[in-house]
Amino acid sequence: MNTSGNQITSGLKIGLFGIGLNTYWDQFEGLEQRLSGYVDEVADKLTGFGSGVVNLGLIDTPQKAFEAGSRFRKEDVDLIFLYVTTYALSSTVLPVVKRAKVPVVILNLTPGAAIDYATFNKMKNRTAMTGEWLAYCSACPVPEIANVFKRAAIPFYQITGMLHNDPHVWQQVEEWIAAAKVVHTMYHNTLGIMGNYYGGMLDIYSDLTLQCATFGGHIEIMEVDELSGLRDTVQEIEVKDKLKEFHERFDVQSDCSDFELERAATTAVALDKLVAKYNLGSMAYYHKGTGNAANEDTMSSVILGNSLLTAAGIPVAGEYEIKNAQAMKIMDSFGAGGSFTEYYAMDFNDDVVLMGHDGPCHPAIAEGKIKVKPLQVYHGKVGNGLSVEMSVSHGPVTMLSVVETAGGKIIFLVAEAESVAGPILEIGNTNSRYKFTIGARAFVETWNSHGPAHHCAVGKGHIASKIKKLGDLLGVETVKVC
């Protein structure tokens, strides 16, 4: 598939610096070299998480701090890890972070679980004893640094633990880097919006300026007429190639006519061309096409093509649901998928909520091969044509809603659940059964109490902690229901 909408995230840069006190170096032999080695170990770990690392080593004087801040700003780092190796002055920290103007995570990491007290207390040289103690003294200046950050109105985050043999530390580091990658992706993403709102759905109307101010990126406003025009340029060989892709990727049911398949294939090729033209990384769409046969033909044949785009990292939301296109892009950027969904029904016998949606699905997170079925009517919409039917892969899932509040802000609403086996509605739409730790009734009431739109994005895995970190980096409140 010739699409170019997968936004480039390889440019993510992580800044790293350690802090120490230059007065110590002449007093305690080998301490500076030892702590510098610890900083280099952290740099190697950070590189292993797939990001570029700008390692400035130990910063031990205010002058070096000013130089480090300018260097980070010049390098355009996205996130800074501050490794506190021993006691150090806050004056070696504030100039760095204030100049760099990016989020900072404090690494309060001791070399091991504890000092070997018996061995330590048998040391003959008290100066050497102090030097050994200072190598374990990372916790000491963190309150000082926190005080200064608070008074300077600089948000900061902490990871406390051990440099060695502490999986919790590196899981947290990985999650911060994953969140920073999503911030980077969203900032550089082009969201295409095509058509118009579904009239009367007041919950889905969005503030485009607020979306750009919160996530960055660019919103390209497009007309359905352009997609209809692109359909006229599609060649027969392109249609044949797309039909082959349909049969490879989907379980096309026997009652799907050649006419409808070719109509969907033509539109899918046109969608690829539209995505390439505008370098789209996501899209929201809706249009009736009433009174315009070409546009009605286009909009009633987009589902398969938009499903393939979604699988290719270009999530597509129907009903012009811009907020949910953002949620789907976030989930997909975390590698979790991100399929369009809403309440379908409640099953009080099995204590599950049935959720799904018509329109495009996310093939990468499907339980088995997706079925393509013909629908004689698109409920609530104009026309008829082919549709897709799938359930989300059984196992842990996370739901995300990007909510615009009455106060003109955005919040993340999150819930973790399990996609479970059982009967679904075989109506040619995506639909799944979800079980929540707090029960179906409590989930629905609690989720609704936060005022989300009726759509959300669902993805594989429990990633609420990553979404929380994303919210922290963006300055967006995250509310976890369960």
Side-chain angles (χ1 to χ4, degrees):
M1 178 166 51
N2 181 24
T3 57
S4 58
N6 291 307
Q7 305 300 296
I8 297 172
T9 60
S10 58
L12 182 79
K13 284 187 181 179
I14 300 298
L16 169 66
F17 73 109
I19 54 171
L21 184 59
N22 66 331
T23 304
Y24 291 157
W25 311 147
D26 291 333
Q27 295 177 328
F28 307 104
E29 183 179 356
L31 181 61
E32 180 183 10
Q33 292 74 20
R34 180 177 177 181
L35 300 182
S36 293
Y38 291 159
V39 176
D40 290 340
E41 284 188 55
V42 173
D44 289 342
K45 286 279 194 178
L46 296 180
T47 302
F49 291 117
S51 61
V53 178
V54 180
N55 176 15
L56 301 188
L58 274 178
I59 304 300
D60 56 8
T61 67
Q63 183 55 44
K64 289 182 180 178
F66 285 109
E67 294 170 359
S70 296
R71 172 76 183 281
F72 280 148
R73 191 165 180 175
K74 182 179 179 181
E75 293 281 356
D76 193 28
V77 298
D78 297 278
L79 176 68
I80 290 174
F81 285 99
L82 159 59
Y83 180 22
V84 183
T85 66
T86 187
Y87 177 75
L89 299 169
S90 51
S91 61
T92 62
V93 174
L94 184 62
V96 181
V97 177
K98 189 171 179 61
R99 181 67 173 170
K101 298 184 184 299
V102 298
V104 57
V105 179
I106 299 172
L107 298 177
N108 175 10
L109 306 181
T110 187
I115 296 172
D116 183 340
Y117 303 108
T119 302
F120 179 87
N121 289 327
K122 289 178 182 178
M123 295 175 69
K124 304 296 185 183
N125 185 317
R126 289 210 172 113
T127 299
M129 291 175 74
T130 303
E132 181 67 17
W133 157 56
L134 289 173
Y136 279 80
C137 198
S138 58
C140 181
V142 176
E144 175 180 340
I145 295 166
N147 173 275
V148 172
F149 281 164
K150 284 286 189 182
R151 292 166 68 183
I154 294 174
F156 65 96
Y157 312 98
Q158 303 176 64
I159 301 176
T160 302
M162 299 176 288
L163 176 61
H164 303 121
N165 302 316
D166 193 344
H168 168 80
V169 165
W170 303 110
Q171 178 185 343
Q172 292 301 304
V173 168
E174 187 277 332
E175 289 191 359
W176 280 112
I177 292 176
K181 287 180 179 178
V182 177
V183 171
H184 187 89
T185 296
M186 297 300 289
Y187 183 81
H188 293 91
N189 185 55
T190 297
L191 165 63
I193 55 176
M194 181 176 63
N196 51 271
Y197 287 112
Y198 190 113
M201 287 185 182
L202 304 183
D203 61 321
I204 64 174
Y205 299 168
S206 300
D207 181 339
L208 301 190
T209 302
L210 177 62
Q211 294 293 321
C212 290
T214 302
F215 297 108
H218 169 64
I219 296 178
E220 185 71 39
I221 300 175
M222 306 177 298
E223 297 180 358
V224 173
D225 305 74
E226 182 171 13
L227 182 59
S228 295
L230 287 170
R231 290 182 87 246
D232 293 335
T233 70
V234 174
Q235 303 297 309
E236 184 177 349
I237 184 62
E238 294 175 302
V239 173
K240 288 183 178 179
D241 288 342
K242 188 61 68 174
L243 286 170
K244 181 180 178 182
E245 185 177 2
F246 283 173
H247 285 283
E248 290 173 348
R249 302 292 296 276
F250 301 125
D251 180 7
V252 179
Q253 301 297 286
S254 60
D255 54 349
C256 296
S257 69
D258 291 341
F259 171 78
E260 288 292 356
L261 285 166
E262 290 176 6
R263 195 163 71 94
T266 302
T267 304
V269 174
L271 283 164
D272 291 348
K273 295 176 185 290
L274 189 71
V275 164
K277 177 177 179 180
Y278 293 107
N279 191 34
L280 301 183
S282 55
M283 187 168 71
Y285 74 98
Y286 176 73
H287 191 68
K288 290 181 180 179
T290 305
N292 184 318
N295 285 348
E296 184 174 337
D297 189 34
T298 295
M299 298 311 293
S300 61
S301 58
V302 297
I303 292 175
L304 269 63
N306 283 339
S307 295
L308 291 177
L309 289 176
T310 300
I314 307 160
V316 182
E319 296 176 4
Y320 212 70
E321 176 53 293
I322 293 161
K323 300 186 298 299
N324 210 41
Q326 299 282 58
M328 292 164 68
K329 184 66 177 179
I330 289 169
M331 295 296 285
D332 195 74
S333 298
F334 273 123
S339 198
F340 201 24
T341 197
E342 67 185 18
Y343 299 159
Y344 262 15
M346 297 183 69
D347 183 332
F348 290 101
N349 291 327
D350 294 334
D351 194 31
V352 298
V353 182
L354 278 68
M355 301 179 71
H357 209 276
D358 62 353
C361 66
H362 200 312
I365 63 171
E367 180 69 25
K369 207 167 187 181
I370 292 164
K371 294 180 180 179
V372 177
K373 293 184 174 182
L375 295 183
Q376 286 68 47
V377 61
Y378 291 139
H379 67 276
K381 300 176 177 68
V382 172
N384 58 77
L386 299 181
S387 187
V388 289
E389 181 180 288
M390 64 159 269
S391 290
V392 172
S393 182
H394 298 155
V397 296
T398 300
M399 295 172 186
L400 170 64
S401 180
V402 172
V403 183
E404 289 189 12
T405 71
K409 295 182 178 181
I410 284 175
I411 67 170
F412 292 150
L413 185 60
V414 182
E416 293 180 337
E418 298 289 323
S419 173
V420 297
I424 62 169
L425 309 177
E426 298 178 7
I427 55 175
N429 293 168
T430 66
N431 53 109
S432 299
R433 300 164 62 87
Y434 298 115
K435 186 172 282 291
F436 301 88
T437 55
I438 59 175
R441 192 192 312 265
F443 163 72
V444 166
E445 291 187 353
T446 307
W447 183 269
N448 294 348
S449 72
H450 295 285
H454 70 285
H455 300 129
C456 67
V458 63
K460 292 171 63 176
H462 286 167
I463 63 167
S465 60
K466 291 183 180 181
I467 295 172
K468 172 65 166 61
K469 290 177 174 64
L470 173 66
D472 289 340
L473 296 180
L474 291 170
V476 172
E477 178 187 0
T478 301
V479 177
K480 184 180 178 184
V481 170
C482 56

